């Protein structure tokens, strides 16, 4: 390599935490030859994380279906006939039993999801606070995803012991209107700011395979990587096509698109936990392995995500064993 090329390479490999990423810079990374992209992602990953540790998270749907939003990907939207039984909020005891089970099975993060546009007020919100308090007592990280929050609700969740709040931007601002008509991007950003201001860590990511372009994936990463601080957690979901939703017949996603997106997320947000979230059931073991190589360091385990199936416990154990990876223990995890 000539000296100028060596200098450029050195600059490219310098790992710093930046919040001034431009769309052009992110696009350049996303479009790198795959070998170079993975090398850079691994370089960043090994600087900030243990390369053989994967965090196991467990999801529980505490309020399923009947959601007033019209997210085109979601089996829980009341706008579509997806055959999903609508349920009211689960009992606190049932939720806490699930949390204890998750912990016994090796999860270190417990995430409660609800099909709400906004988190409710009154009794239902009080019940959620009780669930958060109880789940926090297990010592696991506790996350919730309840829709939009006010500043006050965010502060109450923080006082109850919530570690993280999941609120996805899903895609680029330009493509958002094609997928959701009942809310705007700005509203998502406002809840993310409320979470951050309350001192709760931010979990924010997106979904691939909704018919978006590479530019939309780059646009999503631009939004996330320009947040200051970066989200501590970035879930990258592969669309789970749900019968009855407008995206039920979306085209198959090339798994290498997941790999590129994860690598670009890893490079631009070095400290974040990058979660290979929904869609693992449709993915080969080899594709999942490439996602880990690209810097994903977390999966959701358990028979279900929120409402859709997830790989079997035995399959996940075999996957980690065959790849020589081990579940992250909370003590070794900084933040
Ligand atoms: N209602 C709240 C909200 O939308 O923020 C919380 C629950 S919602 C189900 C949580 C996230 O799940 C969504 O933001 C979306 O990114 C993801 N999700 C929903 N349906 C999905 C699907 N079919 N495939 C992949 N991810 C999905
Ligand atoms: C996220 O980004 N993915 C998880 C979690 N955050 C809440 C949810 C995936 C849901 C997949 C569809 C379902 O099971 O209903
Ligand atoms: Fe409702 Fe969340 Fe599903 Fe959208 S993603 S329909 S807000 S549950």
């Amino acid at each position: 390599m000539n000296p100028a090329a060596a200098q450029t390479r050195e600059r490219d490999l310098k790992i710093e935490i930046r919040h001034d990423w431009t769309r052009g810079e992110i696009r350049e990374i996303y479009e790198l030859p795959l070998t170079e992209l993975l090398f850079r992602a691994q370089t960043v990953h090994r600087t900030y994380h243990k390369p053989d540790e994967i965090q196991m998270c467990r999801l529980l749907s505490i309020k399923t279906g009947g959601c007033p939003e019209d997210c085109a990907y979601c089996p829980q939207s009341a706008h579509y006939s997806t055959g999903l039984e609508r349920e009211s909020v689960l009992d606190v005891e049932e939720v806490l039993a699930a949390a204890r089970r998750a912990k016994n099975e090796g999860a270190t993060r417990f995430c409660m999801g609800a099909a709400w546009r906004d988190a409710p007020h009154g009794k239902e919100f009080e019940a959620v606070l009780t669930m958060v308090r109880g789940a926090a007592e297990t010592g696991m990280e506790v996350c919730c995803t309840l829709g939009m929050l006010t500043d006050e609700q965010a502060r109450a969740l923080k006082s109850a012991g919530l570690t993280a709040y999941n609120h996805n931007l899903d895609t680029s601002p330009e493509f958002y209107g094609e997928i959701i008509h009942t809310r705007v991007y700005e509203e998502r950003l406002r809840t993310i700011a409320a979470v951050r201001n309350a001192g709760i860590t931010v979990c924010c990511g997106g979904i691939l395979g909704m018919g978006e372009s590479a530019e939309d994936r780059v646009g999503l990463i631009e939004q996330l990587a320009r947040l200051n601080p970066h989200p501590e957690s970035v879930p990258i979901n592969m669309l789970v096509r749900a019968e009855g939703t407008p995206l039920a017949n979306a085209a198959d996603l090339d798994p290498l698109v997941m790999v590129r997106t994860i690598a670009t997320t890893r490079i631009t947000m070095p400290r974040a936990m990058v979660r290979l979230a929904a869609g693992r059931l449709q993915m080969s073991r080899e594709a999942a392995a490439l996602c880990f190589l690209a810097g994903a360091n977390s999966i959701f385990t358990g028979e279900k995500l929120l409402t859709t199936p997830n790989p079997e416990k035995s399959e996940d154990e075999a996957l980690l064993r065959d790849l020589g990876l081990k579940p992250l223990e909370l003590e070794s995890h900084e933040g």
Side-chain angles (χ1 to χ4, degrees):
M1 201 183 285
N2 68 43
Q7 223 174 26
T8 311
R9 190 173 173 86
E10 200 169 281
R11 190 205 61 211
D12 286 349
L13 290 178
K14 207 163 102 209
I15 301 159
E16 46 184 348
I17 308 287
R18 289 179 46 196
H19 304 276
D20 61 351
W21 291 100
T22 65
R23 179 135 349 166
E25 285 176 309
I26 298 171
R27 188 185 308 118
E28 241 176 67
I29 294 173
Y30 184 91
E31 289 173 349
L32 281 171
L34 193 74
T35 45
E36 178 69 22
L37 178 62
L38 288 177
F39 177 71
R40 287 188 54 184
Q42 265 297 303
T43 307
V44 174
H45 192 64
R46 284 159 182 270
T47 305
Y48 288 93
H49 305 271
K50 299 216 176 99
D52 60 345
E53 282 187 352
I54 300 289
Q55 184 176 27
M56 317 240 270
C57 310
R58 178 68 64 93
L59 284 166
L60 179 69
S61 181
I62 59 166
K63 189 268 170 191
T64 303
C67 183
E69 301 279 60
D70 72 349
C71 311
Y73 48 75
C74 188
Q76 305 200 64
S77 167
H79 294 256
Y80 319 120
S81 307
T82 63
L84 193 77
E85 260 330 302
R86 188 188 166 145
E87 290 167 25
S88 47
V89 182
L90 294 185
D91 285 337
V92 172
E93 266 323 305
E94 194 177 336
V95 173
L96 296 187
R100 287 189 288 269
R101 209 176 320 123
K103 172 150 193 192
N104 287 338
E105 289 175 10
T108 54
R109 188 168 171 111
F110 186 66
C111 178
M112 293 173 269
W116 284 316
R117 170 179 165 79
D118 316 273
H121 292 271
K123 259 196 171 149
E124 282 185 325
F125 192 63
E126 290 303 319
V128 173
L129 294 177
T130 311
M131 293 170 193
V132 170
R133 269 183 229 111
E137 271 173 23
T138 66
M140 285 187 290
E141 298 173 353
V142 184
C143 178
C144 274
T145 180
L146 315 169
M148 292 180 240
L149 290 184
T150 62
D151 291 317
E152 228 185 328
Q153 288 172 317
R155 283 193 295 266
L157 286 164
K158 170 72 186 175
S159 305
L162 192 72
T163 314
Y165 196 80
N166 168 247
H167 204 63
N168 289 341
L169 286 173
D170 284 336
T171 189
S172 68
E174 304 90 271
F175 193 63
Y176 202 70
E178 306 274 321
I179 300 296
I180 299 157
H181 312 97
T182 48
R183 61 168 184 255
V184 292
Y185 217 72
E186 187 52 40
E187 293 179 287
R188 289 310 260 188
L189 293 169
R190 223 179 298 139
T191 291
I192 293 165
V195 169
R196 181 58 78 200
N197 290 338
I200 300 169
T201 67
V202 171
C203 173
C204 183
I207 309 180
L208 312 186
M210 304 189 292
E212 78 285 346
S213 63
E215 189 62 22
D216 291 316
R217 292 172 208 125
V218 168
L220 166 68
I221 297 174
E222 178 194 11
Q223 291 290 322
L224 300 172
R226 289 181 69 89
L227 291 174
N228 188 3
H230 290 152
E232 287 76 4
S233 160
V234 181
I236 305 291
N237 297 275
M238 181 188 268
L239 174 72
V240 178
R241 285 171 291 211
E243 207 57 51
T245 64
L247 292 176
N249 300 313
D252 280 346
L253 181 76
D254 176 355
L256 291 179
V257 166
M258 286 290 283
V259 175
R260 278 192 181 277
T261 307
I262 287 172
T264 309
T265 302
R266 168 53 66 222
I267 293 166
T268 51
M269 291 169 268
R271 283 201 184 100
M273 296 299 290
V274 179
R275 307 190 196 275
L276 173 55
R280 287 196 303 116
L281 214 48
Q282 304 126 257
M283 217 181 277
S284 71
R285 284 155 55 95
E286 292 80 359
L290 276 177
C291 290
F292 296 139
L293 195 63
N297 56 350
S298 172
I299 54 174
F300 290 97
T301 52
E303 63 277 11
K304 251 191 196 179
L305 290 162
L306 286 172
T307 65
T308 65
N310 201 34
E312 299 273 336
K313 189 167 183 286
S314 58
E315 262 176 71
D316 279 345
E317 282 168 359
L319 177 70
L320 292 195
R321 193 182 58 237
D322 293 350
L323 299 181
L325 301 175
K326 57 178 189 228
L328 172 145
E329 314 254 346
L330 261 195
E331 295 71 51
S332 71
H333 176 42
E334 301 151 13

